[in-house]
Amino acid sequence: MKIKLSPRLEVIAGCVAGVESMADIGTDHGYLPVYLVENALVSRAIASDTNLQPLKKAEKIINEQQLAKQIETRLGSGLSVLKPGEVDAVVMAGMGGLLIRDLLEAQPDVARQKKKLVLQPMNNQAVLRKYLEAAGFGIISEELAREGDRVYEVIVAKPGKMVVTNPLEYELGFEFYMHKHPLLGALIDRKIFLEQQIVRSTRGKTTAIAAKQWKESSLFIEKLNEVKRCQSN
Ligand SMILES: C[S@@+](CC[C@H](N)C(=O)[O-])C[C@H]1O[C@@H](n2cnc3c(N)ncnc32)[C@H](O)[C@@H]1O
């Protein structure tokens, strides 16, 4: 029986489609490359992880689905497992935005040789977008996926120039102004919720760092509410 993906992984798979080969960095369970090959969305894949336990999980499902000829597993950190130009697309999903940034930065030659990078940072999305811009990548499209009360941001980038017309795009992505994604309201609500947690935890604190964080988060909530009001008009 073919495997079924969660809504988040399904959106990521949709962003990968259209290339011949892909590598899933930090594959864990290996569902994504298995789904992509099983559904003929790519013809070959590399499933890689820095930890042996997850890689063994991936190997198990690859063997169960009889896909070992098309999906190779590799143990190692980030893009160090790949040669430049070896696959068309690289996915880094379900990891922190800072880790994704560091892994791209560690192997710039490999990162640049890809037709596309499909990145799904769990946090620090703005930091990652700023890094992509500074490192000479352009964001070609973005998608949102929802699971319960969480909204996931999926960034598709390739070497090129990024044109940012509003600083809020670093936080909310292109969806902010390109087209009204049906999940944009939910994304803004989620960000407001997370910032409110920061405001609560830093309120009344006397350290300079806490006071700065409180102010930044309070201002950001105001901006997000403003975007929400504009969206609904
Ligand atoms: C939360 S899982 C995400 C799994 C899958 N990509 C997804 O989105 O469902 C993160 C995986 O990244 C792996 N990982 C962490 N640091 C890594 C690194 N430097 N290089 C490769 N994999 C890494 C972990 O071992 C873990 O299996």
Side-chain angles (χ1 to χ4, degrees):
M1 200 166 72
K2 283 186 179 179
I3 64 155
K4 197 168 154 33
L5 294 182
S6 67
R8 175 182 65 91
L9 286 173
E10 209 173 319
V11 166
I12 294 170
C15 291
V16 175
V19 294
E20 176 75 16
S21 57
M22 64 85 65
D24 187 23
I25 304 296
T27 195
D28 195 4
H29 35 68
Y31 294 158
L32 184 67
V34 165
Y35 177 91
L36 287 167
V37 171
E38 215 161 45
N39 290 283
L41 295 169
V42 301
S43 56
R44 101 192 138 75
I46 294 168
S48 163
D49 207 287
T50 197
N51 293 306
L52 189 57
Q53 277 313 102
L55 204 64
K56 288 217 170 294
K57 268 194 282 180
E59 275 165 6
K60 186 167 180 282
I61 187 166
I62 291 165
N63 288 329
E64 278 168 6
Q65 303 295 97
Q66 302 185 330
L67 294 174
K69 280 201 179 118
Q70 291 115 296
I71 308 175
E72 191 187 327
T73 58
R74 292 187 189 171
L75 181 67
S77 177
L79 300 173
S80 69
V81 297
L82 299 176
K83 294 187 200 80
E86 196 179 10
V87 287
D88 297 330
V90 161
V91 174
M92 293 194 208
M95 298 189 230
L98 300 184
L99 176 59
I100 295 177
R101 177 201 61 190
D102 292 348
L103 296 180
L104 291 172
E105 207 167 19
Q107 249 85 34
D109 292 355
V110 182
R112 302 208 136 275
Q113 293 272 324
K114 302 290 161 274
K115 286 189 188 143
K116 58 179 158 179
L117 300 171
V118 180
L119 311 172
Q120 185 263 303
M122 299 298 282
N123 50 34
N124 285 302
Q125 291 86 359
V127 176
L128 183 59
R129 287 191 184 96
K130 283 179 188 165
Y131 165 74
L132 289 170
E133 181 185 32
F137 290 94
I139 294 178
I140 47 178
S141 65
E142 294 194 298
E143 258 305 335
L144 298 173
R146 184 179 204 165
E147 286 181 18
D149 61 355
R150 299 200 71 157
V151 180
Y152 299 98
E153 295 165 63
V154 184
I155 298 169
V156 185
K158 68 174 189 179
K161 207 169 154 40
M162 191 137 94
V163 183
V164 178
T165 53
N166 182 327
L168 265 178
E169 285 163 34
Y170 292 117
E171 290 288 348
L172 296 176
F174 286 136
E175 296 306 333
F176 167 55
Y177 76 105
M178 287 273 272
H179 48 275
K180 287 189 178 179
H181 194 286
L183 289 176
L184 183 57
L187 175 72
I188 294 172
D189 284 343
R190 178 76 189 162
K191 293 208 182 243
I192 290 175
F193 170 77
L194 295 174
E195 293 299 322
Q196 280 169 340
Q197 285 184 329
I198 298 172
V199 166
R200 267 195 296 277
S201 68
T202 50
R203 183 174 288 137
K205 296 258 166 71
T206 49
T207 64
I209 292 178
K212 183 170 176 275
Q213 187 61 69
W214 181 86
K215 195 169 175 196
E216 279 175 10
S217 290
S218 303
L219 283 173
F220 189 36
I221 291 172
E222 269 178 39
K223 276 193 197 148
L224 290 171
N225 276 318
E226 209 176 296
V227 176
K228 241 179 102 169
R229 276 194 296 278
C230 294
Q231 290 291 313
S232 53
N233 288 337

